[in-house]
Amino acid sequence: MDAHDSEDPKQSTADMTVFVQNLLQQMQTRFQTMSDSIISKIDEMGSRINELEQSINDLRAEIGVESSPSPVAPVKPKEEELKKEGSA
């Protein structure tokens, strides 16, 4: 048994090294795949946002409000005007 025990730690260490290297390689491959997928989806979202923005601009041009501000922008001035009217 002593001869067998002296070889076992070396083989066990070599097996463990191979196992860890394979595991790390698999993890790296999976992370790379996930990273590529995320970047692809971000690029796709950017393209879709650009298309949406262009469609909105086209619609605005069709109805003739090309130079009007965003509909969200006037909210604050209205609130400020109400405060001014309330204090007058």
Side-chain angles (χ1 to χ4, degrees):
M1 267 203 172
D2 290 338
H4 182 68
D5 288 343
S6 64
E7 290 240 319
D8 191 47
K10 290 179 184 178
Q11 183 61 39
S12 178
T13 302
D15 289 346
M16 186 61 75
T17 300
V18 170
F19 174 79
V20 170
Q21 287 175 340
N22 287 336
L23 184 62
L24 290 174
Q25 183 62 43
Q26 289 174 2
M27 289 174 61
Q28 182 178 3
T29 302
R30 287 181 184 173
F31 278 121
Q32 187 62 49
T33 301
M34 287 173 41
S35 177
D36 292 344
S37 175
I38 290 168
I39 290 170
S40 174
K41 294 213 184 280
I42 289 171
D43 289 342
E44 182 182 335
M45 285 174 53
S47 296
R48 292 175 74 183
I49 289 170
N50 289 340
E51 290 172 9
L52 180 61
E53 185 177 23
Q54 184 60 49
S55 295
I56 290 170
N57 288 336
D58 291 347
L59 289 170
R60 291 175 75 188
E62 274 185 41
I63 60 173
V65 291
E66 202 168 327
S67 61
S68 70
S70 171
V72 177
V75 172
K76 287 196 177 195
K78 286 182 182 177
E79 289 174 3
E80 291 173 2
E81 289 174 12
L82 289 175
K83 289 179 183 176
K84 288 179 184 177
E85 289 175 6
S87 64

